[in-house]
Amino acid sequence: MTEPADPAQIHGAIDTVEGVLALFRAGGGRVTSSRRLLLHALFDEPRDRTAEEIAAEIQTNSPDVNLSTIYRNLDELERLGVVVHSHLAHGPATYHLAALAHGHLVCESCGTTIEAPPDLFSGLSRSAQSRYGFQIHPYHFAVVGRCQLCHKQSHRNNIPH
Amino acid sequence: MTEPADPAQIHGAIDTVEGVLALFRAGGGRVTSSRRLLLHALFDEPRDRTAEEIAAEIQTNSPDVNLSTIYRNLDELERLGVVVHSHLAHGPATYHLAALAHGHLVCESCGTTIEAPPDLFSGLSRSAQSRYGFQIHPYHFAVVGRCQLCHKQSHRNNIPH
DNA sequence: TTTCCTGCAAATAATTTGCAGAACT
DNA sequence: AGTTCTGCAAATTATTTGCAGGAAA
């Protein structure tokens, strides 16, 4: 289970728990209860969560599932194209289903996160492509800045930048 | 030395070692040899470097300057508006003079970093502003993606995304 | 001579890894 | 039976912090 896999070529849908489990099996992997639990957690609550938050939820019912198992399986799911993770400002990464990928605008003053639809990045995407041949993945790292409220406040108090 | 400072209001230029040292003094801080050494390192070699790289350079001549002092003074310089730091893909943050701030496109396959001029982000900047009132700082986190070469290779080998 | 700054060691946070046993197929 | 997975503890990486002594003003 370490070769890159192309989901499109392997029988098994990426949008249901059983479909993803089939993907694991198809790649020589095994269907285990921690994998099933993790997938249920991801599909049941599709918002961005840290590995720790996902682990905590699973552990309320299944306390023996270890955080390192969560990390290992999230990595595996990312390789399979089922989940993606994002780095918001400082602090831990957040994970969510790849189908729900979106950009993030994070205020560096108050920490508020705005979830941005993919089209917000289409201009940047085109410029990076045409100028550098670079294909951006606007979901992986947050775009940091100041939200409206904090921007106004910093002006009022003469705080630079 | 913990209140926010507005460089525009304090006498002392931000673009020379002595000017910045004057800024420290003006804020009630002290001019120390580690601060002078750090500023020389930053002005002499204005490319992006990690705290560790900067420390290593300083330590070739002054082995007693500690890494934690470098971190503390880089933070202080950032508060003064003299340096900024960026998070490239994974790994440590890099620091450079604020006057030379620029965006980064980092290839997640090969790690290559493209330094992007501010105008690459002007479209995104406008959209984020008009849609959300959000003022982006495109320098703090890298924009991740695939460079031209890796993008082609991944297509050739059918590696997803 | 008082406050600030520094070196050193230890703490922290997030994640990764080694290993021996347990669980899939 | 033979791999693959898992739990647990320990390692790692990047950075921060506490503290007591040393240096600037």
Side-chain angles (χ1 to χ4, degrees):
Chain A
M1 290 246 45
T2 41
E3 344 67 62
D6 185 342
Q9 296 189 333
I10 297 176
H11 185 38
I14 228 169
D15 55 359
T16 64
V17 172
E18 293 306 318
V20 177
L21 290 173
L23 249 178
F24 269 113
R25 207 180 263 120
R30 287 164 189 192
V31 173
T32 64
S33 62
S34 56
R35 284 178 178 173
R36 202 182 291 274
L37 287 164
L38 174 57
L39 286 167
H40 274 294
L42 289 167
F43 279 94
D44 289 355
E45 181 100 20
R47 70 191 167 87
D48 286 19
R49 279 174 300 174
T50 65
E52 197 124 27
E53 286 168 345
I54 297 170
E57 196 214 298
I58 293 174
Q59 286 164 354
T60 56
N61 292 315
S62 312
D64 286 351
V65 176
N66 196 273
L67 180 56
S68 62
T69 300
I70 305 286
Y71 272 112
R72 279 190 275 231
N73 282 322
L74 284 170
D75 284 358
E76 208 53 51
L77 287 169
E78 190 146 28
R79 279 203 335 89
L80 292 171
V82 178
V83 310
V84 293
H85 75 273
S86 318
H87 298 277
L88 307 190
H90 299 282
T94 61
Y95 296 79
H96 54 274
L97 294 174
L100 306 173
H102 52 265
H104 300 89
L105 304 178
V106 178
C107 176
E108 66 182 10
S109 298
C110 68
T112 301
T113 299
I114 298 171
E115 302 201 347
D119 82 284
L120 186 71
F121 300 94
S122 53
L124 176 60
S125 200
R126 268 193 301 277
S127 317
Q129 178 64 257
S130 62
R131 288 203 213 171
Y132 304 106
F134 192 92
Q135 192 78 39
I136 71 167
H137 296 171
Y139 313 123
H140 194 78
F141 276 90
V143 175
V144 184
R146 285 247 162 118
C147 70
Q148 193 151 35
L149 190 62
C150 290
H151 186 61
K152 276 182 198 154
Q153 285 176 344
S154 69
H155 270 250
R156 194 173 304 135
N157 302 329
N158 244 330
I159 294 169
H161 174 100
Chain B
M1 290 241 47
T2 40
E3 343 66 62
D6 185 343
Q9 297 189 332
I10 297 177
H11 185 38
I14 227 168
D15 54 359
T16 64
V17 172
E18 293 305 318
V20 177
L21 290 173
L23 249 178
F24 269 114
R25 208 180 263 120
R30 287 163 190 192
V31 172
T32 64
S33 62
S34 56
R35 282 177 178 173
R36 202 182 290 275
L37 287 164
L38 174 56
L39 285 168
H40 274 294
L42 289 168
F43 279 95
D44 289 354
E45 181 100 18
R47 71 191 165 86
D48 285 19
R49 279 173 301 174
T50 65
E52 196 124 26
E53 286 167 344
I54 296 170
E57 196 213 298
I58 293 173
Q59 286 165 353
T60 56
N61 292 315
S62 312
D64 285 351
V65 176
N66 196 272
L67 180 57
S68 62
T69 301
I70 305 285
Y71 272 112
R72 279 190 274 231
N73 281 323
L74 284 171
D75 284 358
E76 208 55 49
L77 287 169
E78 191 146 28
R79 280 203 333 91
L80 292 171
V82 177
V83 311
V84 292
H85 75 274
S86 318
H87 298 276
L88 308 190
H90 300 283
T94 61
Y95 295 78
H96 54 274
L97 294 174
L100 306 173
H102 51 265
H104 301 87
L105 304 178
V106 177
C107 177
E108 66 182 10
S109 298
C110 68
T112 300
T113 299
I114 297 171
E115 301 200 349
D119 81 285
L120 186 70
F121 301 95
S122 52
L124 176 60
S125 200
R126 269 193 302 276
S127 317
Q129 178 64 256
S130 61
R131 288 203 215 171
Y132 305 106
F134 192 93
Q135 191 78 37
I136 70 168
H137 297 169
Y139 313 122
H140 194 79
F141 276 89
V143 175
V144 184
R146 285 247 162 120
C147 70
Q148 193 151 35
L149 190 62
C150 290
H151 186 60
K152 277 183 196 151
Q153 285 177 343
S154 70
H155 271 250
R156 194 175 303 134
N157 302 330
N158 245 330
I159 294 168
H161 178 95

Short mmCIF file of all heavy atoms in Angstrom, two decimals, chain B residues 69-128:
data_model
loop_
_atom_site.label_atom_id
_atom_site.label_comp_id
_atom_site.label_asym_id
_atom_site.label_seq_id
_atom_site.Cartn_x
_atom_site.Cartn_y
_atom_site.Cartn_z
N THR B 69 17.91 33.36 21.01
CA THR B 69 18.07 34.81 20.89
C THR B 69 17.72 35.27 19.48
O THR B 69 17.08 36.32 19.29
CB THR B 69 19.51 35.22 21.23
OG1 THR B 69 19.78 34.80 22.57
CG2 THR B 69 19.71 36.71 21.12
N ILE B 70 18.12 34.47 18.50
CA ILE B 70 17.76 34.79 17.11
C ILE B 70 16.24 34.80 16.97
O ILE B 70 15.67 35.74 16.41
CB ILE B 70 18.36 33.75 16.13
CG1 ILE B 70 19.87 33.62 16.30
CG2 ILE B 70 17.97 34.07 14.69
CD1 ILE B 70 20.65 34.76 15.74
N TYR B 71 15.59 33.77 17.47
CA TYR B 71 14.13 33.73 17.39
C TYR B 71 13.51 34.93 18.08
O TYR B 71 12.61 35.58 17.56
CB TYR B 71 13.59 32.44 18.04
CG TYR B 71 13.50 31.26 17.10
CD1 TYR B 71 14.32 30.16 17.26
CD2 TYR B 71 12.58 31.25 16.06
CE1 TYR B 71 14.23 29.06 16.41
CE2 TYR B 71 12.48 30.16 15.20
CZ TYR B 71 13.30 29.06 15.38
OH TYR B 71 13.21 27.99 14.55
N ARG B 72 13.99 35.25 19.28
CA ARG B 72 13.41 36.37 20.01
C ARG B 72 13.59 37.68 19.25
O ARG B 72 12.67 38.48 19.15
CB ARG B 72 14.03 36.46 21.41
CG ARG B 72 13.38 35.47 22.38
CD ARG B 72 13.81 35.69 23.82
NE ARG B 72 15.05 35.00 24.14
CZ ARG B 72 15.22 34.18 25.19
NH1 ARG B 72 14.23 33.96 26.02
NH2 ARG B 72 16.37 33.60 25.39
N ASN B 73 14.75 37.87 18.67
CA ASN B 73 14.99 39.13 17.97
C ASN B 73 14.30 39.18 16.62
O ASN B 73 13.89 40.26 16.17
CB ASN B 73 16.48 39.38 17.85
CG ASN B 73 17.05 39.91 19.15
OD1 ASN B 73 16.41 40.68 19.84
ND2 ASN B 73 18.25 39.46 19.50
N LEU B 74 14.15 38.05 15.97
CA LEU B 74 13.39 38.06 14.72
C LEU B 74 11.94 38.43 15.01
O LEU B 74 11.32 39.20 14.27
CB LEU B 74 13.47 36.69 14.03
CG LEU B 74 14.79 36.37 13.31
CD1 LEU B 74 14.82 34.92 12.87
CD2 LEU B 74 15.00 37.29 12.10
N ASP B 75 11.40 37.92 16.10
CA ASP B 75 10.03 38.29 16.49
C ASP B 75 9.94 39.79 16.73
O ASP B 75 9.00 40.45 16.28
CB ASP B 75 9.64 37.58 17.80
CG ASP B 75 9.29 36.12 17.57
OD1 ASP B 75 9.33 35.68 16.41
OD2 ASP B 75 9.01 35.43 18.56
N GLU B 76 10.92 40.29 17.46
CA GLU B 76 10.94 41.72 17.77
C GLU B 76 11.02 42.55 16.49
O GLU B 76 10.30 43.54 16.32
CB GLU B 76 12.16 41.98 18.66
CG GLU B 76 12.02 43.15 19.59
CD GLU B 76 10.79 43.04 20.46
OE1 GLU B 76 10.55 41.97 21.09
OE2 GLU B 76 10.04 44.03 20.49
N LEU B 77 11.87 42.12 15.57
CA LEU B 77 12.02 42.84 14.31
C LEU B 77 10.75 42.76 13.48
O LEU B 77 10.42 43.68 12.74
CB LEU B 77 13.20 42.27 13.52
CG LEU B 77 14.58 42.62 14.06
CD1 LEU B 77 15.66 41.80 13.37
CD2 LEU B 77 14.86 44.11 13.89
N GLU B 78 10.04 41.66 13.63
CA GLU B 78 8.79 41.55 12.90
C GLU B 78 7.76 42.52 13.47
O GLU B 78 7.04 43.19 12.72
CB GLU B 78 8.27 40.11 12.97
CG GLU B 78 7.13 39.86 12.02
CD GLU B 78 7.13 38.45 11.46
OE1 GLU B 78 7.64 37.54 12.16
OE2 GLU B 78 6.62 38.26 10.35
N ARG B 79 7.73 42.62 14.77
CA ARG B 79 6.82 43.58 15.39
C ARG B 79 7.14 45.01 14.99
O ARG B 79 6.27 45.87 14.88
CB ARG B 79 6.85 43.45 16.91
CG ARG B 79 6.02 42.30 17.45
CD ARG B 79 5.62 42.51 18.89
NE ARG B 79 6.56 43.35 19.60
CZ ARG B 79 6.48 44.67 19.70
NH1 ARG B 79 5.47 45.32 19.19
NH2 ARG B 79 7.40 45.34 20.37
N LEU B 80 8.42 45.26 14.77
CA LEU B 80 8.84 46.61 14.36
C LEU B 80 8.61 46.86 12.88
O LEU B 80 8.81 47.96 12.39
CB LEU B 80 10.33 46.82 14.68
CG LEU B 80 10.71 46.89 16.16
CD1 LEU B 80 12.22 46.89 16.31
CD2 LEU B 80 10.11 48.12 16.83
N GLY B 81 8.22 45.81 12.16
CA GLY B 81 7.97 45.97 10.74
C GLY B 81 9.22 45.87 9.87
O GLY B 81 9.18 46.21 8.69
N VAL B 82 10.31 45.38 10.44
CA VAL B 82 11.56 45.31 9.70
C VAL B 82 11.67 44.00 8.92
O VAL B 82 12.16 43.98 7.80
CB VAL B 82 12.78 45.46 10.64
CG1 VAL B 82 14.09 45.31 9.89
CG2 VAL B 82 12.70 46.79 11.37
N VAL B 83 11.26 42.90 9.51
CA VAL B 83 11.29 41.63 8.80
C VAL B 83 9.88 41.02 8.75
O VAL B 83 8.99 41.43 9.51
CB VAL B 83 12.27 40.59 9.42
CG1 VAL B 83 13.64 41.19 9.67
CG2 VAL B 83 11.71 39.98 10.68
N VAL B 84 9.71 40.09 7.85
CA VAL B 84 8.50 39.28 7.81
C VAL B 84 8.95 37.83 7.69
O VAL B 84 10.08 37.56 7.28
CB VAL B 84 7.60 39.63 6.59
CG1 VAL B 84 7.01 41.01 6.75
CG2 VAL B 84 8.37 39.51 5.29
N HIS B 85 8.07 36.91 8.06
CA HIS B 85 8.42 35.51 7.85
C HIS B 85 7.34 34.85 7.02
O HIS B 85 6.19 35.30 7.00
CB HIS B 85 8.66 34.78 9.16
CG HIS B 85 7.42 34.44 9.94
ND1 HIS B 85 6.84 35.31 10.82
CD2 HIS B 85 6.67 33.31 9.97
CE1 HIS B 85 5.78 34.73 11.36
NE2 HIS B 85 5.65 33.52 10.86
N SER B 86 7.73 33.81 6.30
CA SER B 86 6.79 33.08 5.45
C SER B 86 6.87 31.60 5.78
O SER B 86 7.92 31.09 6.14
CB SER B 86 7.18 33.23 3.98
OG SER B 86 7.55 34.55 3.68
N HIS B 87 5.74 30.94 5.63
CA HIS B 87 5.72 29.49 5.76
C HIS B 87 5.69 28.89 4.37
O HIS B 87 4.68 29.00 3.68
CB HIS B 87 4.50 29.05 6.55
CG HIS B 87 4.50 29.58 7.94
ND1 HIS B 87 5.16 28.97 8.97
CD2 HIS B 87 3.93 30.69 8.47
CE1 HIS B 87 5.00 29.68 10.08
NE2 HIS B 87 4.25 30.73 9.81
N LEU B 88 6.78 28.31 3.96
CA LEU B 88 6.78 27.58 2.70
C LEU B 88 6.15 26.23 3.02
O LEU B 88 5.62 26.05 4.09
CB LEU B 88 8.19 27.48 2.15
CG LEU B 88 8.88 28.85 2.06
CD1 LEU B 88 10.17 28.75 1.30
CD2 LEU B 88 7.99 29.89 1.41
N ALA B 89 6.21 25.29 2.10
CA ALA B 89 5.42 24.08 2.30
C ALA B 89 5.61 23.52 3.71
O ALA B 89 5.23 24.15 4.68
CB ALA B 89 5.72 23.05 1.23
N HIS B 90 6.18 22.38 3.87
CA HIS B 90 6.41 21.89 5.21
C HIS B 90 7.80 22.36 5.62
O HIS B 90 8.52 22.94 4.84
CB HIS B 90 6.22 20.37 5.25
CG HIS B 90 4.82 19.99 4.85
ND1 HIS B 90 3.74 20.12 5.69
CD2 HIS B 90 4.34 19.56 3.66
CE1 HIS B 90 2.65 19.76 5.02
NE2 HIS B 90 2.98 19.41 3.80
N GLY B 91 8.15 22.18 6.85
CA GLY B 91 9.46 22.64 7.29
C GLY B 91 9.41 24.01 7.93
O GLY B 91 8.34 24.61 8.06
N PRO B 92 10.57 24.51 8.31
CA PRO B 92 10.65 25.73 9.10
C PRO B 92 10.27 26.99 8.33
O PRO B 92 10.31 27.02 7.10
CB PRO B 92 12.13 25.78 9.50
CG PRO B 92 12.84 24.95 8.50
CD PRO B 92 11.88 23.89 8.09
N ALA B 93 9.92 28.04 9.05
CA ALA B 93 9.60 29.33 8.45
C ALA B 93 10.87 30.00 7.93
O ALA B 93 11.96 29.72 8.42
CB ALA B 93 8.93 30.21 9.50
N THR B 94 10.72 30.87 6.95
CA THR B 94 11.87 31.63 6.46
C THR B 94 11.63 33.11 6.72
O THR B 94 10.50 33.58 6.69
CB THR B 94 12.11 31.43 4.95
OG1 THR B 94 10.96 31.88 4.23
CG2 THR B 94 12.34 29.95 4.64
N TYR B 95 12.74 33.80 6.98
CA TYR B 95 12.67 35.21 7.34
C TYR B 95 13.39 36.06 6.31
O TYR B 95 14.41 35.65 5.75
CB TYR B 95 13.33 35.43 8.71
CG TYR B 95 12.60 34.74 9.84
CD1 TYR B 95 12.75 33.37 10.04
CD2 TYR B 95 11.77 35.45 10.70
CE1 TYR B 95 12.07 32.72 11.09
CE2 TYR B 95 11.10 34.82 11.74
CZ TYR B 95 11.26 33.47 11.92
OH TYR B 95 10.59 32.84 12.94
N HIS B 96 12.88 37.25 6.06
CA HIS B 96 13.58 38.20 5.19
C HIS B 96 13.09 39.62 5.46
O HIS B 96 12.10 39.82 6.16
CB HIS B 96 13.41 37.82 3.72
CG HIS B 96 11.99 37.67 3.29
ND1 HIS B 96 11.29 36.50 3.45
CD2 HIS B 96 11.12 38.55 2.75
CE1 HIS B 96 10.06 36.67 2.99
NE2 HIS B 96 9.92 37.90 2.57
N LEU B 97 13.81 40.57 4.91
CA LEU B 97 13.46 41.97 5.13
C LEU B 97 12.06 42.27 4.58
O LEU B 97 11.69 41.82 3.49
CB LEU B 97 14.49 42.88 4.45
CG LEU B 97 15.91 42.81 5.03
CD1 LEU B 97 16.87 43.62 4.17
CD2 LEU B 97 15.93 43.29 6.48
N ALA B 98 11.31 43.06 5.33
CA ALA B 98 9.94 43.38 4.93
C ALA B 98 9.90 44.10 3.59
O ALA B 98 8.97 43.91 2.80
CB ALA B 98 9.28 44.24 6.01
N ALA B 99 10.92 44.91 3.33
CA ALA B 99 10.96 45.67 2.09
C ALA B 99 11.00 44.75 0.87
O ALA B 99 10.61 45.14 -0.22
CB ALA B 99 12.17 46.60 2.09
N LEU B 100 11.49 43.53 1.08
CA LEU B 100 11.64 42.59 -0.03
C LEU B 100 10.54 41.54 -0.04
O LEU B 100 10.70 40.48 -0.64
CB LEU B 100 13.01 41.91 0.05
CG LEU B 100 14.21 42.86 0.13
CD1 LEU B 100 15.48 42.07 0.39
CD2 LEU B 100 14.33 43.67 -1.15
N ALA B 101 9.44 41.82 0.64
CA ALA B 101 8.36 40.83 0.74
C ALA B 101 7.87 40.41 -0.64
O ALA B 101 7.77 41.22 -1.56
CB ALA B 101 7.20 41.40 1.55
N HIS B 102 7.57 39.14 -0.78
CA HIS B 102 7.11 38.60 -2.06
C HIS B 102 6.34 37.33 -1.78
O HIS B 102 6.48 36.72 -0.71
CB HIS B 102 8.30 38.31 -2.96
CG HIS B 102 9.35 37.48 -2.29
ND1 HIS B 102 10.45 38.04 -1.67
CD2 HIS B 102 9.45 36.15 -2.11
CE1 HIS B 102 11.18 37.07 -1.15
NE2 HIS B 102 10.59 35.92 -1.39
N GLY B 103 5.53 36.90 -2.74
CA GLY B 103 4.80 35.66 -2.59
C GLY B 103 5.65 34.46 -2.95
O GLY B 103 6.76 34.61 -3.48
N HIS B 104 5.15 33.27 -2.66
CA HIS B 104 5.89 32.04 -2.96
C HIS B 104 4.95 31.01 -3.56
O HIS B 104 3.88 30.77 -3.02
CB HIS B 104 6.50 31.45 -1.69
CG HIS B 104 7.43 32.36 -0.97
ND1 HIS B 104 7.01 33.27 -0.04
CD2 HIS B 104 8.78 32.52 -1.07
CE1 HIS B 104 8.06 33.94 0.41
NE2 HIS B 104 9.14 33.52 -0.19
N LEU B 105 5.40 30.42 -4.66
CA LEU B 105 4.70 29.28 -5.22
C LEU B 105 5.59 28.07 -4.97
O LEU B 105 6.72 28.02 -5.46
CB LEU B 105 4.49 29.45 -6.73
CG LEU B 105 3.76 30.72 -7.19
CD1 LEU B 105 3.67 30.76 -8.72
CD2 LEU B 105 2.36 30.80 -6.60
N VAL B 106 5.11 27.12 -4.18
CA VAL B 106 5.95 25.98 -3.81
C VAL B 106 5.39 24.71 -4.43
O VAL B 106 4.22 24.37 -4.23
CB VAL B 106 6.02 25.81 -2.28
CG1 VAL B 106 6.83 24.58 -1.91
CG2 VAL B 106 6.63 27.04 -1.64
N CYS B 107 6.24 24.00 -5.16
CA CYS B 107 5.81 22.74 -5.76
C CYS B 107 5.79 21.66 -4.69
O CYS B 107 6.80 21.42 -4.03
CB CYS B 107 6.74 22.34 -6.89
SG CYS B 107 6.27 20.72 -7.59
N GLU B 108 4.65 21.01 -4.53
CA GLU B 108 4.55 20.02 -3.47
C GLU B 108 5.20 18.69 -3.86
O GLU B 108 5.35 17.82 -3.03
CB GLU B 108 3.10 19.80 -3.06
CG GLU B 108 2.26 19.19 -4.13
CD GLU B 108 0.80 19.02 -3.69
OE1 GLU B 108 0.41 19.54 -2.64
OE2 GLU B 108 0.07 18.35 -4.43
N SER B 109 5.58 18.56 -5.12
CA SER B 109 6.28 17.35 -5.52
C SER B 109 7.79 17.47 -5.35
O SER B 109 8.42 16.63 -4.74
CB SER B 109 5.99 17.01 -6.98
OG SER B 109 4.62 16.77 -7.15
N CYS B 110 8.36 18.53 -5.89
CA CYS B 110 9.82 18.63 -5.88
C CYS B 110 10.33 19.71 -4.93
O CYS B 110 11.53 19.84 -4.72
CB CYS B 110 10.35 18.88 -7.29
SG CYS B 110 9.92 20.50 -7.95
N GLY B 111 9.43 20.49 -4.34
CA GLY B 111 9.86 21.49 -3.36
C GLY B 111 10.37 22.79 -3.95
O GLY B 111 10.66 23.72 -3.21
N THR B 112 10.48 22.86 -5.26
CA THR B 112 10.94 24.11 -5.88
C THR B 112 10.08 25.29 -5.46
O THR B 112 8.86 25.17 -5.42
CB THR B 112 10.87 23.99 -7.41
OG1 THR B 112 11.70 22.91 -7.82
CG2 THR B 112 11.35 25.27 -8.09
N THR B 113 10.73 26.40 -5.15
CA THR B 113 9.99 27.61 -4.78
C THR B 113 10.16 28.67 -5.86
O THR B 113 11.28 29.00 -6.24
CB THR B 113 10.51 28.18 -3.45
OG1 THR B 113 10.31 27.21 -2.43
CG2 THR B 113 9.76 29.45 -3.08
N ILE B 114 9.06 29.19 -6.35
CA ILE B 114 9.08 30.31 -7.28
C ILE B 114 8.73 31.56 -6.48
O ILE B 114 7.72 31.57 -5.78
CB ILE B 114 8.05 30.11 -8.41
CG1 ILE B 114 8.39 28.87 -9.24
CG2 ILE B 114 7.98 31.35 -9.29
CD1 ILE B 114 7.30 28.49 -10.24
N GLU B 115 9.59 32.57 -6.57
CA GLU B 115 9.25 33.82 -5.88
C GLU B 115 8.40 34.65 -6.82
O GLU B 115 8.77 34.90 -7.97
CB GLU B 115 10.53 34.57 -5.49
CG GLU B 115 11.40 33.72 -4.58
CD GLU B 115 12.41 34.51 -3.78
OE1 GLU B 115 12.59 35.71 -4.08
OE2 GLU B 115 12.99 33.93 -2.85
N ALA B 116 7.23 35.04 -6.32
CA ALA B 116 6.27 35.72 -7.18
C ALA B 116 6.14 37.18 -6.80
O ALA B 116 6.02 37.51 -5.62
CB ALA B 116 4.91 35.04 -7.06
N PRO B 117 6.14 38.08 -7.77
CA PRO B 117 5.97 39.50 -7.49
C PRO B 117 4.57 39.77 -6.96
O PRO B 117 3.63 39.02 -7.28
CB PRO B 117 6.16 40.16 -8.85
CG PRO B 117 5.82 39.11 -9.84
CD PRO B 117 6.23 37.81 -9.22
N PRO B 118 4.42 40.78 -6.13
CA PRO B 118 3.14 41.08 -5.51
C PRO B 118 1.97 41.17 -6.50
O PRO B 118 0.85 40.79 -6.16
CB PRO B 118 3.38 42.44 -4.85
CG PRO B 118 4.84 42.47 -4.55
CD PRO B 118 5.49 41.70 -5.66
N ASP B 119 2.22 41.63 -7.70
CA ASP B 119 1.10 41.85 -8.61
C ASP B 119 0.43 40.54 -9.04
O ASP B 119 -0.70 40.56 -9.53
CB ASP B 119 1.54 42.63 -9.84
CG ASP B 119 2.21 41.74 -10.86
OD1 ASP B 119 3.37 41.35 -10.64
OD2 ASP B 119 1.55 41.39 -11.87
N LEU B 120 1.09 39.39 -8.83
CA LEU B 120 0.45 38.12 -9.15
C LEU B 120 -0.84 37.96 -8.34
O LEU B 120 -1.76 37.27 -8.74
CB LEU B 120 1.40 36.95 -8.86
CG LEU B 120 0.90 35.58 -9.30
CD1 LEU B 120 0.88 35.46 -10.82
CD2 LEU B 120 1.75 34.46 -8.71
N PHE B 121 -0.86 38.58 -7.18
CA PHE B 121 -1.97 38.39 -6.26
C PHE B 121 -2.99 39.52 -6.31
O PHE B 121 -3.94 39.54 -5.54
CB PHE B 121 -1.45 38.24 -4.83
CG PHE B 121 -0.51 37.09 -4.68
CD1 PHE B 121 0.86 37.26 -4.77
CD2 PHE B 121 -1.01 35.81 -4.47
CE1 PHE B 121 1.73 36.18 -4.64
CE2 PHE B 121 -0.15 34.72 -4.34
CZ PHE B 121 1.22 34.91 -4.43
N SER B 122 -2.81 40.46 -7.24
CA SER B 122 -3.68 41.63 -7.20
C SER B 122 -5.14 41.29 -7.49
O SER B 122 -6.04 41.87 -6.89
CB SER B 122 -3.16 42.72 -8.15
OG SER B 122 -2.95 42.18 -9.43
N GLY B 123 -5.36 40.31 -8.36
CA GLY B 123 -6.74 39.91 -8.66
C GLY B 123 -7.40 39.28 -7.44
O GLY B 123 -8.50 39.67 -7.03
N LEU B 124 -6.70 38.33 -6.84
CA LEU B 124 -7.22 37.67 -5.64
C LEU B 124 -7.46 38.71 -4.55
O LEU B 124 -8.46 38.67 -3.83
CB LEU B 124 -6.22 36.62 -5.15
CG LEU B 124 -6.55 35.91 -3.85
CD1 LEU B 124 -7.87 35.16 -3.95
CD2 LEU B 124 -5.44 34.96 -3.45
N SER B 125 -6.52 39.62 -4.45
CA SER B 125 -6.60 40.67 -3.46
C SER B 125 -7.90 41.47 -3.63
O SER B 125 -8.62 41.71 -2.66
CB SER B 125 -5.38 41.58 -3.65
OG SER B 125 -5.15 42.32 -2.51
N ARG B 126 -8.17 41.86 -4.87
CA ARG B 126 -9.39 42.62 -5.13
C ARG B 126 -10.64 41.81 -4.82
O ARG B 126 -11.57 42.30 -4.18
CB ARG B 126 -9.43 43.07 -6.59
CG ARG B 126 -8.82 44.44 -6.84
CD ARG B 126 -9.17 44.95 -8.24
NE ARG B 126 -8.71 44.05 -9.30
CZ ARG B 126 -7.48 44.05 -9.80
NH1 ARG B 126 -6.58 44.90 -9.33
NH2 ARG B 126 -7.14 43.21 -10.75
N SER B 127 -10.66 40.53 -5.26
CA SER B 127 -11.87 39.72 -5.02
C SER B 127 -12.11 39.49 -3.54
O SER B 127 -13.25 39.57 -3.07
CB SER B 127 -11.75 38.36 -5.70
OG SER B 127 -11.22 38.48 -6.99
N ALA B 128 -11.05 39.19 -2.81
CA ALA B 128 -11.22 38.92 -1.38
C ALA B 128 -11.73 40.18 -0.69
O ALA B 128 -12.58 40.12 0.20
CB ALA B 128 -9.90 38.47 -0.76
#
